Amino acid sequence: MDTSQNTALLRALTELPGPLPARGVIHVVIRHTDRFTVVGNDLAQHPGLSTAAVCFAVRIQSLPQGTEVGIKALAARFPEGEKLIAAALRELEAHGYLQRARTRLPNGRIVTRTVFCNQPAALLRPRAAAAPPQLPPAARPITTHAQASEPTVKPEASPEPDPQPEPTPDPPAPLAAPPQAAAPPFVRLVPPPTAPKPPRPPLPRPRELTPELERISTALLSDLRHHAPQFTLSEEHVRELVPGVAAWLERDAHPDTIRHTLTINAPEPVNYPYQFVKHRLTVLLPPPLPGAHDLTPPPARRNPVTPFQTCDGCERAFRAPTPGHCRDCRNEVAYAQAAA
C-alpha cells in the first residue's frame, strides 16, 4: 500500500512543468472540487501562533455553523487532550481569531457562544460603503419572448405652457463624515507559549575549587546511585556538577544534607537525572553562614546622663559635665563683679 502511494506521488512529480527546486518542499497541487475550506496565509503562517493553535483554527473553520467547539466537545472529537486544546483556544482568543461570550437565551438558560473570524485584522480596517446586493442569476427577472415582442405604447402628453424658470437654490454642502475613532492598541496581558523564556541561572561555583572540595564532591555525586538508583550519573555529568556541590560544601553544608536535598521527593521516574540535580543545586543553594560579628546584637542606645559635681564654693551637689561652681555661686560672683 505504501509503495503504490509513493510511486504515484513520484509519478505526479515527474509531470510537473518547469525546473524543480534543488531543495525544500515541492507542491503537487490538485484542485479541489468539493469538501474544501479556504485558509489564508495570515493564519497558516502566523508567526505568533503555535502549530497546535493553527491546526485547531483550521479545524474550527472547516466545521459547519452551530457545531459545538468547546474544550470538551473538541476533546471528544479529536485525539488531543483538554490541556492542549485549552492552550490553543487561549492563543486564538488572544490574537482575535476566537471570542467566547456568555449569552442568556429567552428561556433564561445561559450558554457560551463561540465566534470565529478567519481575518481578525480586517475587522479593524475602515469598511467601505455597502454596495447594493447583487441578485443571483436565478433570481433576476427574465424577459420572455412575448414581452419583448410587444411594442411599448407611451401615452401622448398634452401640450403645456412653458413654465417660468425658477431660481435654483444652491445645493447644500455635503456633511463631513464623523472622524472614526482609532482602534485601541492590542495589549497582550499573558505572554504566548511561543514567547522566548528567560535564560536559566548558571550552576553555582565556589570561590576556590580546592582538591579536597573536588574529591568530596565527586564522591558524593558518584554515591547518589546507592541511595536512589534513578540518580545514576555519567562520568562526564559528575565532572560538570562538581563545582555546584563544592559551592554547597564551601557554605558549610553537610554531605548528608546535600544528598537528602538532591534526592528527596523526586518524581518517578527521573528521566533526566543530570538536569534534575543541576536544577536543585542551582535553585536550592543555601546562603553563606553568617560570621560572628554578624550575629552580635547592636549596642543598645542609651541617653547620656549628666554626672553629679560638688560645688567648689558651697560644696553643694549639682549636675554638670565638668567640676566648678553651682548656679547660686555663679550668680553671687556675677553680682559682686557688677557692684564693684
Side-chain angles (χ1 to χ4, degrees):
M1 181 66 69
D2 295 341
T3 305
S4 61
Q5 291 179 356
N6 295 338
T7 304
L9 187 59
L10 293 178
R11 184 170 63 253
L13 185 64
T14 58
E15 298 175 359
L16 293 180
L20 299 179
R23 61 182 62 184
V25 64
I26 301 174
H27 294 281
V28 178
V29 181
I30 301 176
R31 186 178 182 85
H32 291 279
T33 58
D34 59 349
R35 295 182 55 81
F36 65 92
T37 302
V38 179
V39 179
N41 286 338
D42 55 343
L43 173 61
Q45 302 176 4
H46 199 289
L49 289 176
S50 61
T51 305
V54 174
C55 293
F56 276 103
V58 174
R59 286 188 168 186
I60 293 174
Q61 189 175 345
S62 64
L63 296 176
Q65 296 272 21
T67 306
E68 294 290 339
V69 290
I71 298 176
K72 299 288 185 182
L74 292 178
R77 179 186 295 266
F78 304 117
E80 287 79 8
E82 294 185 5
K83 292 185 178 180
L84 178 62
I85 295 175
L89 295 183
R90 285 195 297 269
E91 287 187 55
L92 296 175
E93 194 170 1
H95 286 81
Y97 286 92
L98 188 73
Q99 183 178 1
R100 290 175 285 189
R102 300 176 68 86
T103 307
R104 183 181 297 273
L105 299 179
N107 58 0
R109 183 184 175 187
I110 297 178
V111 297
T112 301
R113 177 172 296 174
T114 304
V115 181
F116 184 86
C117 180
N118 61 342
Q119 296 187 50
L123 299 177
L124 303 178
R125 295 194 293 264
R127 302 183 182 181
Q134 298 291 338
L135 294 177
R140 293 176 184 172
I142 302 176
T143 304
T144 61
H145 178 71
Q147 293 175 349
S149 60
E150 294 179 358
T152 303
V153 179
K154 296 183 180 180
E156 298 181 358
S158 58
E160 297 181 356
D162 297 337
Q164 296 293 332
E166 298 180 357
T168 57
D170 296 335
L175 298 177
Q180 295 183 354
F186 177 74
V187 179
R188 180 184 296 279
L189 300 180
V190 179
T194 56
K197 298 181 180 180
R200 296 181 178 179
L203 185 71
R205 294 184 175 275
R207 292 190 298 269
E208 181 182 359
L209 185 59
T210 61
E212 185 68 14
L213 288 177
E214 185 176 3
R215 181 185 63 82
I216 299 175
S217 302
T218 304
L220 190 148
L221 292 171
S222 303
D223 190 59
L224 285 179
R225 56 186 175 180
H226 291 159
H227 301 271
Q230 63 268 30
F231 287 94
T232 302
L233 300 172
S234 65
E235 185 176 359
E236 180 182 358
H237 288 166
V238 169
R239 286 197 301 266
E240 294 180 2
L241 295 174
V242 160
V245 179
W248 283 61
L249 295 173
E250 191 180 51
R251 301 189 177 193
D252 293 339
H254 196 273
D256 293 339
T257 304
I258 301 175
R259 185 183 303 108
H260 177 78
T261 305
L262 295 180
T263 58
I264 190 64
N265 294 332
E268 291 290 346
V270 180
N271 296 325
Y272 304 98
Y274 166 72
Q275 297 290 347
F276 186 84
V277 174
K278 180 180 178 181
H279 174 73
R280 288 202 169 183
L281 287 175
T282 304
V283 301
L284 301 180
L285 178 67
L289 291 178
H293 63 279
D294 297 329
L295 298 177
T296 303
R301 299 183 59 183
R302 301 177 58 186
N303 295 329
V305 179
T306 305
F308 282 101
Q309 306 291 344
T310 303
C311 180
D312 295 340
C314 63
E315 297 184 357
R316 182 188 301 173
F318 69 99
R319 289 186 180 275
T322 57
H325 294 82
C326 65
R327 183 184 302 173
D328 295 341
C329 294
R330 289 197 301 269
N331 291 341
E332 291 178 2
V333 172
Y335 293 153
Q337 290 178 357

